[in-house]
Amino acid sequence: MTASRARRGSDTATRILDVAQRLVQQRGFNGFSYADVAQELGVTTASLHYHFAGKAELGEALVTRYATRFAESLAAIDARGLAAPAKLKGYADLYADVLRDQRMCLCGMLAAEYQTLPGRMGHEVLRFFEDNESWLAEVLEQGLREGSLAFEGPAQEVARTFMGGLQGAMLLARPSGDLDRLRAASRGLLTGLTTTVT
Amino acid sequence: MTASRARRGSDTATRILDVAQRLVQQRGFNGFSYADVAQELGVTTASLHYHFAGKAELGEALVTRYATRFAESLAAIDARGLAAPAKLKGYADLYADVLRDQRMCLCGMLAAEYQTLPGRMGHEVLRFFEDNESWLAEVLEQGLREGSLAFEGPAQEVARTFMGGLQGAMLLARPSGDLDRLRAASRGLLTGLTTTVT
DNA sequence: GTCTATAGGCAGATAGAC
DNA sequence: GTCTATCTGCCTATAGAC
């Protein structure tokens, strides 16, 4: 897969992933073809098959890269040493970034198509959400300890509700192209967790 | 479209819609074919084209029927004359019904695929969500008047956040096949709106 | 690494017999 | 209403030249 390349970020494999990712986020895994990607890059589909054996392998690479980058973003939030509400705000902001260009979260889109995905892809999508849940649950526990957050029930359940709220808000905001809808939902979900007066 | 038929609910057009609806809810509009539906019904694709000129027309019929039925369910909730929290619970229960058979909400699935949908279909999907929003917003206002609900900001925004929370919960619950996740999210979203002590 | 050429299959769709 | 037969186009994928 073009292993030895000094200038990362612009070799062919990476550009294929970039275009394919955008297409999946906008149209779904069943809504784009090798031909779409090839045409946009000005190459042939045969060239794509050199870099990624098949659509399934391309899909796996997409999810893997996306999950890695997302984990890095979460680590970056952690590194700032913020209070729990600010961390949640940072998390929600990641979603706002995704919504630009009328994109859905890659894994949110793939979750919708889950039953049609190649097996390995499906597993990676599941893991993405589990990792998100774990990170959020930790932040929520931190908030409890700090007294900056208040909620009932297991942190993991609240984490899922929060993450689902953001995914659903993206899902509904995208058709109308209204970024503010996601922002409003983020605010609403956050205020439901924040202690009224610190 | 097979207009004159006494025994409604089992004529061919209806059975086509039933199978197609399930396939769209499970696999997406770009994840099923006329051949899939035809095979399951033991007819040919040519027969499907007799009832629905093309996939776009079939899709429109699917959304129209789904929206009509959903509106009827909401009217049924209204007819019971419940307090606002109970109405919201009734609304959330509609989503729980949908999740059975690993199904996504038809319009939630189509929202993901929005950018690939035939124009008319897209419009109908948008209208579905607008109608839902309006109904929820009214219930929320009722809750404010009753004193049974408490929230900040415009009712319409809260309605969107609530609806998005349920759609997102379905999206995330379906891959793991865990119905309880949706129930937990429903509870969480509701308690965020309910006045602590009446 | 990228190309041309092509295979083989499935997609949505239509014509016309029954 | 449903069928057979067929069309055209796109899809994923491969072989082999450059």
Side-chain angles (χ1 to χ4, degrees):
Chain A
M1 207 194 285
T2 323
S4 56
R5 205 72 180 84
R7 185 166 42 86
R8 274 278 142 192
S10 72
D11 64 301
T12 307
T14 301
R15 284 187 324 203
I16 291 170
L17 288 171
D18 291 341
V19 172
Q21 179 177 326
R22 201 201 68 243
L23 287 171
V24 174
Q25 287 183 276
Q26 291 179 332
R27 308 176 52 89
F29 192 70
N30 296 323
F32 88 105
S33 70
Y34 260 42
D36 294 328
V37 181
Q39 190 182 26
E40 192 159 333
L41 291 177
V43 296
T44 63
T45 60
S47 179
L48 265 68
H49 279 286
Y50 171 79
H51 294 282
F52 301 97
K55 210 183 172 186
E57 286 79 11
L58 173 57
E60 285 177 49
L62 283 175
V63 182
T64 301
R65 189 180 71 158
Y66 194 83
T68 302
R69 290 181 172 178
F70 213 91
E72 287 168 1
S73 297
L74 298 184
I77 293 175
D78 281 332
R80 278 181 237 144
L82 306 167
K87 284 188 181 177
L88 293 181
K89 176 67 165 51
Y91 182 85
D93 286 345
L94 294 180
Y95 281 70
D97 289 340
V98 167
L99 192 58
R100 298 184 204 296
D101 304 329
Q102 307 252 65
R103 298 196 199 195
M104 178 70 187
C105 168
L106 181 78
C107 290
M109 180 64 85
L110 295 177
E113 299 177 293
Y114 183 75
Q115 300 189 38
T116 72
L117 297 181
R120 287 200 195 91
M121 256 186 99
H123 294 141
E124 290 181 84
V125 170
L126 279 181
R127 195 145 53 87
F128 173 83
F129 288 120
E130 284 165 14
D131 291 347
N132 272 256
E133 265 172 46
S134 299
W135 187 87
L136 283 170
E138 269 192 49
V139 173
L140 290 168
E141 308 259 28
Q142 174 195 337
L144 276 188
R145 288 194 302 271
E146 292 172 351
S148 59
L149 297 179
F151 57 87
E152 291 165 26
Q156 193 182 38
E157 275 187 15
V158 179
R160 283 177 185 154
T161 304
F162 188 74
M163 181 168 66
L166 292 176
Q167 290 285 349
M170 295 188 74
L171 192 70
L172 301 183
R174 210 169 48 103
S176 53
D178 189 351
L179 199 64
D180 282 334
R181 293 196 186 191
L182 180 55
R183 278 194 273 263
S186 302
R187 235 185 299 122
L189 292 166
L190 259 170
T191 56
L193 296 171
T194 316
T195 49
T196 318
V197 178
T198 318
Chain B
M1 210 196 285
T2 322
S4 56
R5 207 71 180 83
R7 186 167 42 89
R8 275 276 143 193
S10 72
D11 63 301
T12 307
T14 302
R15 285 187 323 201
I16 291 170
L17 288 172
D18 291 341
V19 172
Q21 180 178 328
R22 201 200 71 243
L23 287 171
V24 175
Q25 289 183 274
Q26 291 179 332
R27 307 175 53 88
F29 192 69
N30 296 323
F32 88 104
S33 70
Y34 260 42
D36 295 328
V37 180
Q39 190 182 27
E40 191 159 333
L41 291 177
V43 297
T44 63
T45 61
S47 179
L48 264 67
H49 279 285
Y50 170 80
H51 294 282
F52 302 96
K55 208 182 173 185
E57 288 77 11
L58 173 57
E60 285 177 49
L62 282 175
V63 182
T64 302
R65 189 181 71 159
Y66 194 83
T68 302
R69 290 181 173 178
F70 213 91
E72 287 168 1
S73 296
L74 298 184
I77 292 175
D78 281 332
R80 278 181 235 143
L82 305 166
K87 284 188 181 177
L88 293 181
K89 176 66 165 50
Y91 181 84
D93 286 344
L94 294 179
Y95 280 70
D97 287 342
V98 167
L99 193 57
R100 298 185 201 294
D101 303 330
Q102 307 253 63
R103 297 197 201 195
M104 177 72 187
C105 168
L106 182 78
C107 290
M109 180 65 85
L110 296 177
E113 299 176 292
Y114 183 75
Q115 300 188 41
T116 72
L117 297 181
R120 287 201 194 90
M121 255 186 100
H123 294 142
E124 289 181 85
V125 170
L126 279 181
R127 195 145 52 89
F128 173 83
F129 288 119
E130 285 165 13
D131 291 347
N132 272 256
E133 264 172 48
S134 300
W135 186 87
L136 283 170
E138 269 191 50
V139 173
L140 289 168
E141 309 260 27
Q142 174 195 336
L144 276 189
R145 287 193 303 273
E146 293 172 352
S148 60
L149 297 179
F151 56 87
E152 292 165 25
Q156 194 184 36
E157 275 187 16
V158 180
R160 283 177 184 155
T161 303
F162 187 74
M163 182 168 64
L166 292 176
Q167 290 285 349
M170 294 188 75
L171 192 68
L172 301 184
R174 209 171 48 104
S176 52
D178 189 353
L179 198 65
D180 283 332
R181 294 196 186 190
L182 179 56
R183 278 195 273 262
S186 302
R187 236 184 298 121
L189 293 166
L190 259 171
T191 55
L193 296 170
T194 316
T195 49
T196 317
V197 179
T198 317

